[in-house]
């Protein structure tokens, strides 16, 4: 039993981007959060440089779009070139299915500062630098964290922080992961890379070049605020100490800038690519996220983004458990859902690195194959639109199978027996994937992104139907207790009529007009008309209108949510009061 009140709901270890994002999300949900960081301040040298649309959608959720967008370059175009400068592949995705451009260049130290400043909005969130985690002890209902208070490298005090849960976000050398006893499986190739960051960009071009040059592979990246990054592969006979030599840096850059001796170098570092993943992301009340849970090479810019996906997935689940609304087995789905996708991203990045580092002989084969494949439009678009990137799809976890409404799992294809009902051209189930975010209209907002209408918790949305009429009175009681938002999507010309017609619904219904037709197109392609959206915008379940009530019951079972009050006959019902 707890002998004294806990100090915080969640102790976040590490004030990197993942820890800061998790704290912002939990702060937005009103949770008590303590962030500790062993360093005296945020890291000030550039690290991550690529941000994707999924991450930017999470930035939208925490309300920091304007603050962070100023440090980004949207539509970052990547060109893979060979040693002769000939273009092999262009990666320039123009889709905005999730509301934002697919790729952004960004300056991580500046974005991290905005995430840190964002925590000032929440009275329930505290941040402490110079605090290093040194021990953990799990009790029945909380964790005791022993923390050294540092002045520089000197320990000046020791304190104990009692937290309901601890999340280690302290990077690849995570103390938290070691304490959990988790393996860190994968590879650490011996290849070293020199990173050089330069202010007052001597080139001034905005995009990215991946130089698959057998003589020396390189990367050249145009970043916001006139920062240019170069990365060069070091050979085995080149000692790391050479990076301190101005002459060596000038040699690296002589083929890339008019005058390599006249550069404003911000800093240079040597790093080794890693492809590793922890054997589990959870042990009881202790969890890990970001680099503490998985490390991946930088080629496709997914290390930063994978960590943000972790935070997005974990925050709402911790919130539900902390509110006393869910059995903590819900937290097992964090590992179930995130580990598989993180592993897929690691494998893809390792493959991309092999392509970059091909020697002269293999490079000729690669160049010939790339040239041939670029002739085929479908193959060319595969690279241009970034369709090679595995989008998260959760086949297990907080999902419901569309075919038989089995909670906890979902197959990728819709059964043939369902397709004739609506003659749908697409048999791919949307369950377990992220829902689109087009621009929409409501009575209050003439032009707004969908997430800004539906909020940051659960949503039940129906195309062309009043969802309150598809659920039983008992279901609607739970919906009201939950704060679940009911939404009706309609063609924009019908919106005013629907607003008047549904104004007297037993539970408030938000009518959303579809001026672009993108919502209608999404439902047109699938044999379903009702979706159950999780707080992280993934589709937990989908069904035809007549199946809404029974599907809702399956959603409740899949989420492990419990209703407060012993002996309640509907104890699996969702309750987030």
């Amino acid at each position: 039993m707890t002998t004294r009140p806990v100090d915080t709901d969640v102790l976040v270890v590490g004030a990197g981007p993942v820890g800061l994002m998790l704290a912002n999300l939990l702060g937005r949900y009103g949770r008590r959060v303590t962030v500790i960081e062993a360093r005296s301040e945020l890291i000030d040298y550039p690290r991550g440089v690529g941000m994707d649309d999924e991450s930017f959608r999470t930035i939208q959720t925490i309300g920091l779009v304007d603050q962070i967008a100023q440090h980004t370059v949207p539509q970052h175009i990547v060109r893979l070139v060979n040693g002769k400068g000939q273009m092999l592949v262009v990666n320039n995705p123009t889709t905005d299915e999730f509301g934002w451009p697919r790729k952004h260049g960004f300056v991580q130290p500046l974005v991290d500062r905005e995430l840190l400043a964002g925590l000032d909005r929440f009275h329930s969130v505290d941040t402490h630098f110079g605090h290093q985690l040194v021990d953990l002890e799990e009790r029945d209902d909380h964790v005791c964290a022993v923390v050294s208070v540092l002045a520089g490298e000197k320990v000046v005090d020791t304190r104990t922080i009692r937290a309901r849960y601890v999340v280690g976000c302290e990077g690849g050398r995570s103390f938290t992961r070691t304490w959990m006893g988790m393996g860190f499986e994968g590879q650490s190739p011996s290849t070293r890379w020199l990173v050089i960051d330069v202010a007052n960009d001597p080139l001034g071009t905005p995009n990215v070049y991946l130089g698959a040059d057998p003589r020396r592979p390189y990367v050249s990246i145009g970043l916001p605020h006139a920062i240019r990054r170069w990365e060069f592969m070091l050979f085995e006979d080149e000692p790391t100490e050479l990076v301190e030599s101005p002459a060596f840096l000038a040699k690296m850059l002589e083929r890339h800038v008019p005058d390599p001796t006249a550069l404003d170098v911000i800093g240079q570092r040597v790093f080794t690519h890693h492809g590793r993943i922890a054997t589990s992301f959870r042990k009881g009340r202790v969890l890990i996220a970001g680099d503490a849970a998985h490390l991946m090479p930088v080629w496709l810019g997914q290390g930063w983004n994978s960590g943000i996906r972790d935070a997005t997935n974990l925050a709402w689940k911790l919130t539900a458990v902390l509110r006393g609304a869910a059995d903590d087995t819900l937290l097992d789905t964090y590992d179930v859902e995130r580990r598989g996708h993180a592993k897929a991203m690691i494998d893809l990045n390792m493959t991309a690195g092999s392509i970059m580092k091909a020697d002269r002989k293999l490079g000729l084969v690669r160049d010939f194959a790339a040239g041939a494949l670029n002739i085929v439009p479908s193959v060319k678009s595969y690279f241009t639109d970034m369709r090679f990137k595995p989008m998260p799809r959760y086949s297990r976890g907080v999902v419901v199978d569309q075919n038989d409404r089995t909670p906890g799992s979902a197959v990728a294809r819709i059964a043939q027996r369902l397709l004739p009902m609506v003659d749908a051209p697409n048999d791919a189930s949307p369950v377990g994937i992220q829902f689109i975010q087009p621009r929409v209209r409501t009575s209050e907002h003439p032009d707004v992104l969908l997430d800004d209408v539906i909020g940051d918790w659960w949503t039940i949305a129906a195309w062309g139907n009043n969802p309150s009429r598809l659920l039983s009175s008992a279901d609607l009681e739970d919906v009201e207790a939950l704060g679940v938002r009911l939404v009706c999507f309609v063609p924009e010309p019908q919106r005013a009529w629907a607003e008047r017609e549904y104004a007297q619904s037993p539970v408030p219904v938000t009518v959303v007009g579809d001026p672009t037709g993108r919502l209608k197109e999404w439902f047109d392609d699938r044999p379903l008309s009702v979706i159950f959206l999780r707080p992280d915008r993934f589709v937990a379940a989908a069904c035809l209108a007549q199946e809404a009530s029974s599907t809702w019951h399956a959603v409740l079972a899949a989420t492990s949510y419990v209703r407060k009050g012993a002996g309640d006959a509907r104890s699996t019902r969702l309750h987030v009061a």
Side-chain angles (χ1 to χ4, degrees):
M1 296 294 293
T2 304
T3 58
R4 54 168 286 183
V6 295
D7 302 302
T8 189
D9 289 334
V10 181
L11 174 64
V12 175
V13 185
V18 179
L20 294 173
M21 181 62 80
L22 180 61
N24 271 279
L25 287 162
L26 291 170
R28 188 175 178 90
Y29 287 136
R31 307 321 308 169
R32 292 182 299 160
V33 182
T34 300
V35 181
I36 60 171
E37 167 59 52
R39 298 173 186 269
S40 60
E41 59 185 5
L42 294 178
I43 295 175
D44 62 355
Y45 54 82
R47 291 171 291 155
V49 293
M51 180 189 301
D52 65 20
D53 49 351
E54 297 172 63
S55 293
F56 216 94
R57 194 172 189 178
T58 299
I59 291 168
Q60 177 190 354
T61 297
I62 63 172
L64 293 180
V65 166
D66 292 341
Q67 293 86 338
I68 288 177
Q70 63 184 325
H71 306 305
T72 70
V73 176
Q75 297 297 152
H76 223 200
I77 300 172
V78 179
R79 296 181 175 91
L80 176 66
V81 298
N82 63 16
K84 298 178 181 180
Q86 297 170 325
M87 190 167 60
L88 303 178
V89 172
V90 176
N91 175 219
N92 180 26
T94 57
T95 180
D96 62 350
E97 61 186 311
F98 299 139
W100 302 99
R102 177 60 55 89
K103 291 172 62 66
H104 303 73
F106 77 109
V107 181
Q108 183 175 335
L110 299 179
V111 169
D112 287 356
R113 288 180 203 170
E114 299 295 352
L115 291 173
L116 177 61
L119 298 180
D120 292 339
R121 300 171 294 171
F122 309 117
H123 297 302
S124 61
V125 179
D126 295 313
T127 305
H128 302 280
F129 286 87
H131 281 54
Q132 183 173 26
L133 178 66
V134 295
D135 198 12
L136 293 168
E137 180 184 352
E138 187 172 4
R139 306 283 179 83
D140 289 340
D141 61 354
H142 70 281
V143 181
C144 287
V146 180
V147 177
S148 292
V149 181
L150 307 176
E153 297 183 357
K154 182 180 178 181
V155 177
V156 297
D157 195 8
T158 300
R159 61 179 294 197
T160 298
I161 300 175
R162 293 169 174 80
R164 298 293 186 197
Y165 291 91
V166 173
V167 183
C169 306
E170 70 268 59
R173 297 179 180 178
S174 168
F175 171 88
T176 309
R177 185 189 64 247
T178 301
W179 178 89
M180 292 166 66
M182 299 303 169
F184 210 30
E185 301 172 345
Q187 305 175 49
S188 292
S190 59
T191 307
R192 295 162 299 139
W193 286 77
L194 167 63
V195 176
I196 306 171
D197 292 304
V198 176
N200 303 314
D201 186 350
L203 302 183
T205 57
N207 299 318
V208 182
Y209 286 87
L210 304 181
D213 188 343
R215 292 170 296 181
R216 187 184 297 273
Y218 70 90
V219 180
S220 177
I221 308 173
L223 294 172
H225 312 319
I227 294 174
R228 167 71 51 174
R229 165 171 290 190
W230 279 279
E231 300 177 9
F232 297 99
M233 191 178 81
L234 295 177
F235 299 120
E236 291 185 5
D237 61 349
E238 294 174 326
T240 299
E241 291 73 22
L242 276 176
V243 304
E244 302 299 330
S245 166
F248 183 72
L249 295 186
K251 178 183 177 182
M252 292 293 99
L253 292 163
E254 62 185 2
R255 295 180 57 243
H256 298 272
V257 295
D259 184 359
T261 65
L263 296 175
D264 185 1
V265 177
I266 299 173
Q268 64 268 11
R269 297 175 62 85
V270 173
F271 67 92
T272 301
H273 292 168
H274 300 276
R276 294 186 176 276
I277 190 165
T279 50
S280 178
F281 293 0
R282 182 192 182 199
K283 181 182 179 182
R285 292 181 174 271
V286 181
L287 305 99
I288 49 176
D291 284 355
H294 43 73
L295 289 171
M296 61 188 66
V298 301
W299 298 116
L300 300 176
Q302 288 300 305
W304 193 91
N305 295 289
S306 291
I308 300 303
R309 292 188 195 103
D310 291 347
T312 308
N313 187 289
L314 182 56
W316 71 267
K317 296 175 180 178
L318 278 170
T319 297
V321 172
L322 287 163
R323 288 174 175 175
D327 186 286
D328 78 349
T329 56
L330 175 64
L331 299 179
D332 290 336
T333 67
Y334 164 62
D335 178 88
V336 167
E337 293 180 349
R338 286 298 307 136
R339 263 174 38 84
H341 185 258
K343 179 62 166 59
M345 291 307 309
I346 289 170
D347 293 344
L348 181 62
N349 275 272
M350 296 294 282
T351 300
S354 298
I355 293 172
M356 279 289 294
K357 295 183 292 184
D359 60 24
R360 188 177 299 275
K361 184 176 181 180
L362 291 176
L364 291 173
V365 176
R366 175 203 59 211
D367 295 356
F368 176 80
L373 292 175
N374 271 322
I375 299 174
V376 182
S378 61
V379 175
K380 185 175 182 179
S381 68
Y382 179 76
F383 294 100
T384 301
D385 296 336
M386 205 173 172
R387 289 189 286 116
F388 57 82
K389 170 190 166 188
M391 298 297 291
R393 181 188 181 276
Y394 302 140
S395 60
R396 296 186 300 130
V398 185
V399 291
V400 173
D401 189 86
Q402 189 170 340
N403 296 321
D404 59 12
R405 292 186 286 285
T406 300
S409 65
V411 299
R413 296 294 170 185
I414 300 171
Q416 286 295 317
R417 63 180 177 78
L418 295 177
L419 299 180
M421 295 183 187
V422 290
D423 195 24
N426 192 343
D427 68 349
S429 173
V431 174
I433 66 173
Q434 196 168 161
F435 191 60
I436 62 173
Q437 186 188 197
R439 302 199 73 85
V440 297
R441 291 180 187 170
T442 70
S443 59
E444 297 180 356
H445 303 285
D447 181 25
V448 66
L449 286 168
L450 177 62
D451 291 357
D452 292 336
V453 173
I454 65 177
D456 57 14
W457 201 243
W458 283 83
T459 299
I460 302 175
W463 172 261
N465 247 328
N466 181 346
S468 72
R469 297 175 182 171
L470 304 178
L471 300 171
S472 70
S473 58
D475 295 335
L476 293 178
E477 288 178 13
D478 287 332
V479 164
E480 284 195 294
L482 273 167
V484 172
R485 189 180 295 267
L486 297 185
V487 173
C488 173
F489 297 140
V490 295
E492 174 57 22
Q494 296 179 25
R495 179 171 57 82
W497 177 90
E499 287 169 349
R500 293 190 300 269
E501 180 71 12
Y502 302 159
Q504 302 303 315
S505 297
V507 173
V509 174
T510 300
V511 178
V512 174
D514 178 30
T516 66
R518 295 178 74 172
L519 287 170
K520 179 179 180 294
E521 180 182 12
W522 192 92
F523 284 95
D524 262 334
D525 286 347
R526 296 165 175 85
L528 58 94
S529 62
V530 182
I531 55 173
F532 299 79
L533 293 181
R534 306 173 358 166
D536 57 7
R537 319 307 187 192
F538 281 77
V539 180
C543 63
L544 295 172
Q546 199 174 60
E547 302 169 321
S549 182
S550 58
T551 302
W552 172 238
H553 299 163
V555 170
L556 299 177
T559 53
S560 299
Y561 279 88
V562 294
R563 195 173 197 190
K564 294 180 180 178
D568 192 306
R570 292 173 294 159
S571 60
T572 59
R573 289 296 175 88
L574 191 62
H575 183 85
V576 193

